[in-house]
Amino acid sequence: GFFVNTLVLPIDLSDNPCFRDLLLRVREVTLGAYIHQDLPFEKLVEELVPTRSLSYSPLFQVMFVLHNAPRTDLKLTDLSSRWLPTKSTTAMFDLTLMMADTERGLTATFTYNTHLFYPATIERMQQHFQVLLSGIVAHPEQPVSDLPLLTNEERQQVLFTWNETQYPQQNGCIHELFEAQAERIPAAEAVIFGSTSLSYGQLNAQANQLAHFLRKLGVKPEMRIGICMQRSPEMIVGLLAIFKAGGAYVPLDPSYPPERLSFMLADAQVSILLTQQAISGQLPAHTAHVLCLDTIETVIAEEPASNPEPTAMADNLAYVIYTSGSTGQPKGVAIEHRNAVLLLNWSKTLYMSEDLRGVLASTSICFDLSVFELFVPLSRGGTVILAENVLHIPTLPAANTITLINTVPSALTELLRVERLPHSVRTINLAGEPIPSALVEQAYSYDTVQRIFNLYGPSEDTTYSTYALLAQASDGPPPIGRPLANKQIYLLDQALQPVPVGIPGELYIGGDGLARGYLNRPELTAQRFIPHPFVGTLIADQLSEARHESGVVDRNFKQGSTTSEPGSRLYKTGDLARYLSDGTIEYLGRSDYQVKLRGYRIELGEVEAFLRQHAQVLEAVAIIREDVPGDKRLVAYLVTQAQHELSTSSLRSFLKEKLPDYMIPSAFVILEALPLTLNGKVDRNKLPTPEEQSLTLSAAYTAPQTDTEQTIAVLWQEVLHREKVGIYDNFFDLGGHSLLLPLLQHKLQTAFQRKLSMLDLFQHTTISAQAAYIQQQDQHAESSFQHSQEHAATRRMALRRQRQIRQQLGSGEALEVRHDE
């Protein structure tokens, strides 16, 4: 029989012990296990009844075996014997390390599951194991997190070779690159919005006039100027004028709740606010000086159209973009001109002039994707095509001149679903979300689409940090690629040590794109922007000097080695990633509770903090769910006071006063208690799937009655993936969001052969209201047709009378004029 019994041994690595202490812990655990070594492993499994699965072994998946019994040849009278090596083709566990004490020393053999590991991974693991053992022997007093794993060659590769991104940096400011293009091609189209456009010369002149006006109001470098405007050429004039005056812009979305706008205005200490008359009355109380640009056009037009004398420098503030904050308040990311100019200069290495001939700009200026959409084409002589939403492309007069789309995968999915991607598009930039391989293949099916890029990066590193050109066919998830020019990527463990190829680590970013920090948040800045633990060439030069007699690099020599030069910090992203064997990076997810939904960055802690402010909510947890493939949604789980009933509408109304629409959950689930793990934390994996009616809606179910209501109801069911909808249910209460509404708009327009306004659909959010709206459109169209018919008849009678008068005048007859003529 198999006269060996398996022991399951847990190893305690808490508190990061040194190896000597760890060895004592292992000794205690092992001796304790030997007391019960006679208990058969099979009996242990039988009693514990663990969850069984064909994909892994119960209780443990990694085994260590030490053959330390002496091997002696059997001496028999009529037989001779010798040991023969054997080969196994079956792995009992995910990974087994078998070691034997032989005359030649310790020998080791790895047996592994080929579904989980590549041969190259195991070969690297063998090398890492030898480096680890050598490091233990040389420094057993080191904490286990500091013990070496990587060979010198691997360390050089992941820290330096794959971060060789040097590119000549062009000094200056964002607007100066635009001014150079305005001087070079003044007549070329710079901005198109609907049926209107501005040339480079016109845009530059208007921005100059506003900049001169702002200078008279005292705008200077480092001054933060708010801008809260509807998307329009005037908005771009405002952004450029702020740059030219020397200030930095703080974007404010008119649709944000007053409470959020009030916080941002106060936190940024906005001194001047550019807006429009229709918006100014909706703004909360603040201390900024308000300029309604559409009411002072004549005053601004009196200012010079020439470029103002430059006052801002490359290291001055360019803009402050607010992102979601885990503490319940948004945080402002402060970006300098040199950070953004690096992005603009890098674009020259990847995008040709033909790519930038028509760049769709559909992202709100409150999000950093807009920096690419607006300032890359304007710095390169391209044309910006403004749109409210990427799904509005079909309604744009300039749709067939769009050559580059910069958007999120979920938006592109909807655009392809309605088959409205213009055939003029050459290049597609995707960012903000994981990209399904099927989506890439579908987009490449358009003959004109030549390149699709996956771009990754947080606002704290000026929009983009890595890029990858995606292949038309891929077996796995598309990688996020390699770092941009003058940027570095480090994948580190919890001790800030580089991880081997294939091993997950937290992604840190270095280089010239790093933000100044968080506005007015020095503690958070110090927490997320850490001193650079690697000094570049210093490490490379000292590798040979830092070796121990064992040949292992002493990695402690890096401690405290930082510089004051740009790039001497690393930004801690919280993202998990791993290196592939060719040096490209694969994104794996988050290490915390920050999420991306339809490209929007959301701190779940901020959503939860505001939910807990509701008088009837005791506890709250928010998560992202994808119960329908491709349809991610934000779901909130609540524990409430028992005597109170809550409705989806009341909760949405409460949150709408505090959070932007994209941060409001699409479903709310009431629980008696939140599921907890053994250590008392919320077990998010055990939160239940929301039912169709997780919370009561504000209105009782009423079935569709008219043909129009029934048609709309069917379309709602398709878009929302629901079996039943009532005519008084709210579209957003049922899980609708900013990407589904344009899809519904397309379906309604197709079904009713009517052009329906997106704004009107936002205002009519029930089936009943939409049916009345469509019927009103029909009546208006019929009335307009009758009016046009009557007008045409009147016009014909008038023309006949004119001919009669001309004939009378030409013949000399007496002219009879009626009293109504």
Side-chain angles (χ1 to χ4, degrees), residues 567-586:
S568 61
R569 300 173 301 155
L570 293 184
Y571 172 65
K572 176 182 171 69
T573 66
D575 289 325
L576 299 177
R578 65 177 179 178
Y579 274 118
L580 302 180
S581 58
D582 62 354
T584 57
I585 301 166
E586 181 183 4

Side-chain angles (χ1 to χ4, degrees), residues 684-706:
R684 295 170 182 257
N685 294 324
K686 291 186 178 179
L687 292 169
T689 303
E691 301 295 333
E692 281 214 359
Q693 301 294 340
S694 303
L695 272 182
T696 58
L697 302 175
S698 57
Y701 172 75
T702 304
Q705 302 296 322
T706 67

Side-chain angles (χ1 to χ4, degrees), residues 92-165:
M92 298 291 291
F93 305 100
D94 292 352
L95 182 67
T96 300
L97 172 60
M98 301 183 68
M99 298 193 72
D101 193 359
T102 69
E103 296 178 355
R104 297 184 294 111
L106 286 172
T107 62
T109 303
F110 281 93
T111 304
Y112 60 95
N113 186 336
T114 55
H115 290 147
L116 298 178
F117 299 99
Y118 292 114
T121 304
I122 300 300
E123 291 175 6
R124 286 194 298 269
M125 190 180 295
Q126 291 174 347
Q127 294 176 339
H128 298 158
F129 188 52
Q130 289 176 292
V131 171
L132 176 64
L133 294 178
S134 299
I136 290 171
V137 171
H139 288 278
E141 74 283 354
Q142 273 192 328
V144 291
S145 63
D146 289 342
L147 289 170
L149 275 180
L150 301 184
T151 65
N152 295 335
E153 293 75 16
E154 287 177 303
R155 185 175 174 82
Q156 178 74 18
Q157 184 180 60
V158 299
L159 290 182
F160 307 113
T161 305
W162 288 343
N163 278 320
E164 291 177 354
T165 60

Side-chain angles (χ1 to χ4, degrees), residues 165-174 176-177 313-316 335-349 379 461-462 464 484-488 510-515 566-567:
T165 60
Q166 292 78 11
Y167 184 79
Q169 171 68 315
Q170 180 178 346
N171 294 322
C173 298
I174 300 170
E176 291 173 346
L177 300 181
M313 306 294 287
D315 58 354
N316 282 131
I335 299 292
E336 298 175 353
H337 276 277
R338 64 179 180 86
N339 304 138
V341 168
L342 173 64
L343 175 72
L344 306 187
N345 286 334
W346 165 79
S347 72
K348 298 176 184 178
T349 67
S379 69
D461 191 44
T462 319
Y464 295 135
L484 273 61
N486 295 345
K487 300 189 178 188
Q488 294 84 44
D512 296 339
L514 290 188

Side-chain angles (χ1 to χ4, degrees), residues 602-621:
I602 300 173
E603 291 278 3
L604 295 177
E606 183 175 3
V607 179
E608 294 167 357
F610 281 113
L611 280 168
R612 294 189 193 102
Q613 292 180 14
H614 193 286
Q616 276 75 55
V617 175
L618 300 177
E619 297 180 80
V621 171

Side-chain angles (χ1 to χ4, degrees), residues 380-687:
R380 299 277 308 281
T383 301
V384 174
I385 301 174
L386 279 175
E388 290 290 341
N389 188 295
V390 67
L391 299 180
H392 288 181
I393 285 178
T395 66
L396 300 179
N400 292 325
T401 63
I402 297 173
T403 54
L404 188 148
I405 292 179
N406 194 66
T407 189
V408 295
S410 52
L412 180 64
T413 299
E414 297 301 330
L415 192 63
L416 295 178
R417 183 180 297 178
V418 298
E419 300 181 350
R420 292 301 181 92
L421 183 70
H423 287 280
S424 55
V425 173
R426 295 165 45 97
T427 303
I428 298 175
N429 287 347
L430 295 175
E433 296 172 336
I435 304 174
S437 299
L439 177 63
V440 177
E441 187 175 350
Q442 185 181 3
Y444 270 128
S445 66
Y446 282 72
D447 295 337
T448 57
V449 175
Q450 300 176 6
R451 297 187 301 172
I452 300 176
F453 290 102
N454 186 12
L455 294 141
Y456 160 86
S459 301
E460 290 83 350
D461 191 44
T462 319
T463 309
Y464 295 135
S465 306
T466 69
Y467 72 101
L469 176 62
L470 302 183
Q472 296 195 23
S474 175
D475 294 333
I480 60 173
R482 296 175 179 271
L484 273 61
N486 295 345
K487 300 189 178 188
Q488 294 84 44
I489 300 295
Y490 301 94
L491 303 184
L492 309 178
D493 61 20
Q494 293 181 350
L496 298 183
Q497 301 291 351
V499 296
V501 171
I503 303 302
E506 184 170 354
L507 195 151
Y508 289 75
I509 304 172
D512 296 339
L514 290 188
R516 179 183 294 180
Y518 297 113
L519 190 67
N520 303 325
R521 304 283 292 276
E523 293 182 358
L524 182 61
T525 299
Q527 177 186 342
R528 301 305 294 266
F529 293 86
I530 67 171
H532 200 313
F534 315 111
V535 191
T537 56
L538 179 61
I539 289 183
D541 294 339
Q542 294 185 355
L543 277 175
S544 58
E545 300 175 10
R547 298 178 188 276
H548 295 294
E549 293 180 359
S550 63
V552 180
V553 175
D554 177 6
R555 302 197 296 180
N556 285 329
F557 81 92
K558 69 178 176 61
Q559 298 298 329
S561 300
T562 59
T563 70
S564 58
E565 296 298 320
S568 61
R569 300 173 301 155
L570 293 184
Y571 172 65
K572 176 182 171 69
T573 66
D575 289 325
L576 299 177
R578 65 177 179 178
Y579 274 118
L580 302 180
S581 58
D582 62 354
T584 57
I585 301 166
E586 181 183 4
Y587 180 83
L588 299 176
R590 290 289 300 177
S591 62
D592 56 16
Y593 296 125
Q594 183 190 110
V595 298
K596 284 286 189 76
L597 180 64
R598 300 185 293 278
Y600 297 113
R601 175 166 146 182
I602 300 173
E603 291 278 3
L604 295 177
E606 183 175 3
V607 179
E608 294 167 357
F610 281 113
L611 280 168
R612 294 189 193 102
Q613 292 180 14
H614 193 286
Q616 276 75 55
V617 175
L618 300 177
E619 297 180 80
V621 171
I623 65 171
I624 294 292
R625 298 193 66 100
E626 191 175 359
D627 299 306
V628 177
D631 182 20
K632 291 184 178 181
R633 57 177 177 158
L634 182 60
V635 179
Y637 295 83
L638 311 173
V639 176
T640 64
Q641 297 185 21
Q643 67 270 27
H644 294 280
E645 286 192 5
L646 285 175
S647 69
T648 295
S649 297
S650 65
L651 279 168
R652 285 185 59 86
S653 298
F654 173 79
L655 292 178
K656 204 169 180 63
E657 297 176 358
K658 304 174 181 296
L659 294 172
D661 287 340
Y662 66 87
M663 294 182 69
I664 298 177
S666 61
F668 299 88
V669 180
I670 297 291
L671 300 175
E672 292 184 1
L674 296 175
L676 302 178
T677 62
L678 293 177
N679 59 8
K681 295 183 179 180
V682 175
D683 191 343
R684 295 170 182 257
N685 294 324
K686 291 186 178 179
L687 292 169

